[in-house]
Amino acid sequence: MEDEVLKSGVASGRVQKMTALIVDDNRVNQTIHHRLLQNLGIENQVVGNGKEAIDVHCSGKNFDLILMDLDMPVMNGIEATRKLRAMGIQSTIAGVSSRSLTDNIQEFIEAGLDDFQEKPLTIAKLVSILRKVQNHNN
Amino acid sequence: MEVGQMQRQWVDYTKSLFLEGFLDGQFLQLQQLQDESNPDFVVEVVYLFFEDSEKLLNDLTRALHSMLFWLATFECFMKVCCFWGFRFLCIFFPPSYRDQPSVDFKKVDAHVHQFKGSSSSIGASRVRNACIAFRNFCEEQNIEGCLGCLQQVKQEYYLVKNKLETLFRLEQQIVAAGGSIPMTELSF
C-alpha cells in the first residue's frame, strides 16, 4: 500500500520526482532494480561497477539515491562509496548486497552508506530506502 | 482443453512450484512488477537468468575442470593398478601429475556468489540454497565438497529451468486461447 501512496504522490507532483543510480554488475539485478524504481515513478540509470558510478558523477550528473552493490569487478561498492563521499556527493547511498549484516559488511557501512538492505530487493525494502531519501531531502 | 481448465492447471502448477520449494516469495515480487506496460517482464528476467546461469556454470566447470580431469585420469590409473595388483606402479606416476592441480577457490567463490545472487533475485530458492552450500566448501577449500556442489547446483538449475519453461508454455497456451493469467487466484 505504501508504494501506491508513493506512486500517486510522484504522479500528482506532491512528491518531488526522484532520480536514482543503480550500481550493480549482475544483469538480473540491474533489470529488477530498474523496474522496481520505474514502477514507483523514479527516473533511473544503470551502471555496471563502481568506476562507472564515479565516471557518471564526474560527467556532472547527480542523483537523489544510489543503490550500490558490494561485490563488483573493476571497483567494488566499498571503494566507490568512499570515493563518492570524498568527492562531496551527498546523495543517499543504500548498500544492496546478497551478503547479510552478519557477513561483516561493517567496512561497507563505514565507507559512507546511509542504509543497507540485503538482496533480493523487494518493493517493501525499496520503499523503506525511499523514506530515508525523502527525510534526507527534507 | 478449454481456457478455464488451462487456468486451473496453471494455478495448480504454480502452487506446486512453491510447495516443492523450487520458487519462493521473490518470484511473486517479480509478478507484481509485471503490468500492461511491461507484459513480458517475468519471462524477460527469467530468460536473462537462464543466459547468465549457463555462462556461470561453464565458468565454474572450467575453473574446476583441471581438478575434474586430474581426478578422472588418476583414479582411472589407480583402478587399473589395483586390478592388476601393480600398486607399486603408482610410484612411477610423474610427480607433477601426482600433485593435485591448484584450484582458484576465490574465483570459484566469486562465480558462485554471482549465481547465488541472481537465483535469489528471481526466487529460485533451491538453486540459491545449493549455492550457499557451495560457498561454504569454497571457504573451507574443500575440493571434493566443491565438485559435489557443482553437480548439485547444475541439477537444481536444470530442474527449475525445466519447471519455469513449462510454466511459461502454459501461460502462452492460455493467452493464445484468449484467456488471461489468473494471478489473483494464487493465494498462499
Side-chain angles (χ1 to χ4, degrees):
Chain A
M1 209 42 98
E2 273 194 84
D3 59 317
E4 294 298 331
V5 170
L6 191 61
K7 249 193 261 190
S8 69
V10 169
S12 67
R14 282 181 286 114
V15 175
Q16 197 181 343
K17 206 165 173 72
M18 278 187 216
T19 57
L21 177 67
I22 297 161
V23 190
D24 201 311
D25 62 323
N26 184 298
R27 292 195 305 165
V28 171
N29 291 330
Q30 284 177 355
T31 308
I32 293 171
H33 296 173
H34 170 73
R35 181 71 189 126
L36 271 168
L37 288 164
Q38 193 183 53
N39 208 32
L40 291 171
I42 295 166
E43 263 179 45
N44 63 93
Q45 191 175 333
V46 178
V47 294
N49 59 60
K51 187 178 178 307
E52 288 179 14
I54 306 297
D55 292 345
V56 127
H57 281 87
C58 287
S59 74
K61 284 195 171 172
N62 223 318
F63 306 89
D64 298 297
L65 168 67
I66 302 171
L67 291 180
M68 183 73 78
D69 185 23
L70 173 51
D71 297 296
M72 293 179 286
V74 185
M75 188 188 290
N76 67 28
I78 295 171
E79 205 184 329
T81 303
R82 257 190 218 127
K83 279 208 156 95
L84 286 170
R85 292 305 190 206
M87 284 163 62
I89 300 299
Q90 297 190 334
S91 313
T92 302
I93 305 179
V96 187
S97 174
S98 51
R99 291 205 215 171
S100 68
L101 279 165
T102 53
D103 279 345
N104 194 20
I105 52 123
Q106 196 57 32
E107 196 184 354
F108 196 14
I109 294 170
E110 285 171 2
L113 294 183
D114 296 294
D115 194 8
F116 176 84
Q117 294 287 347
E118 194 179 334
K119 279 180 192 170
L121 207 57
T122 61
I123 296 168
K125 286 180 186 178
L126 183 57
V127 167
S128 161
I129 293 171
L130 292 171
R131 285 215 170 281
K132 296 214 167 151
V133 177
Q134 278 184 319
N135 294 339
H136 187 234
N137 289 348
N138 292 340
Chain B
M1 205 188 293
E2 52 107 19
V3 171
Q5 238 180 315
M6 282 193 273
Q7 286 170 327
R8 275 190 298 277
Q9 195 180 25
W10 181 90
V11 169
D12 291 342
Y13 190 73
T14 308
K15 282 185 176 175
S16 74
L17 296 184
F18 285 91
L19 289 169
E20 289 166 29
F22 287 105
L23 298 176
D24 64 24
Q26 185 60 20
F27 190 77
L28 294 174
Q29 289 280 319
L30 297 190
Q31 288 177 326
Q32 281 185 51
L33 294 174
Q34 183 164 292
D35 58 22
E36 295 85 32
S37 64
N38 271 274
D40 299 317
F41 177 71
V42 177
V43 170
E44 283 170 8
V45 171
V46 170
Y47 273 90
L48 201 52
F49 168 69
F50 290 163
E51 268 180 46
D52 285 358
S53 300
E54 304 285 340
K55 188 183 175 304
L56 282 166
L57 286 172
N58 285 338
D59 291 342
L60 279 165
T61 305
R62 247 198 315 276
L64 293 166
H65 177 74
S66 55
M67 175 55 69
L68 280 167
F69 178 72
W70 183 89
L71 278 174
T73 53
F74 190 64
E75 283 185 24
C76 182
F77 180 78
M78 285 291 288
K79 278 176 184 166
V80 168
C81 290
C82 293
F83 179 74
W84 292 106
F86 295 147
R87 290 174 204 246
F88 67 87
L89 275 177
C90 297
I91 63 168
F92 294 108
F93 216 78
S96 58
Y97 210 74
R98 275 208 301 270
D99 297 329
Q100 285 185 21
S102 60
V103 170
D104 188 346
F105 285 102
K106 214 172 165 186
K107 199 174 185 179
V108 173
D109 184 65
H111 291 319
V112 180
H113 175 74
Q114 276 282 317
F115 206 173
K116 180 196 156 201
S118 49
S119 59
S120 176
S121 290
I122 68 142
S125 48
R126 279 162 63 154
V127 176
R128 182 202 66 221
N129 293 341
C131 289
I132 291 170
F134 201 155
R135 292 199 75 195
N136 289 337
F137 282 118
C138 287
E139 206 177 312
E140 291 170 19
Q141 300 202 358
N142 182 330
I143 186 59
E144 278 178 24
C146 282
L147 289 170
C149 279
L150 177 60
Q151 295 316 309
Q152 188 64 22
V153 164
K154 278 183 177 175
Q155 191 178 301
E156 291 299 345
Y157 165 69
Y158 286 115
L159 271 171
V160 81
K161 182 171 187 267
N162 188 269
K163 298 280 181 187
L164 286 168
E165 284 174 335
T166 302
L167 183 71
F168 296 148
R169 264 197 304 276
L170 279 171
E171 289 179 1
Q172 277 176 334
Q173 285 165 8
I174 291 168
V175 169
S180 60
I181 311 303
M183 299 278 188
T184 51
E185 288 183 43
L186 283 180
S187 53
F188 294 95

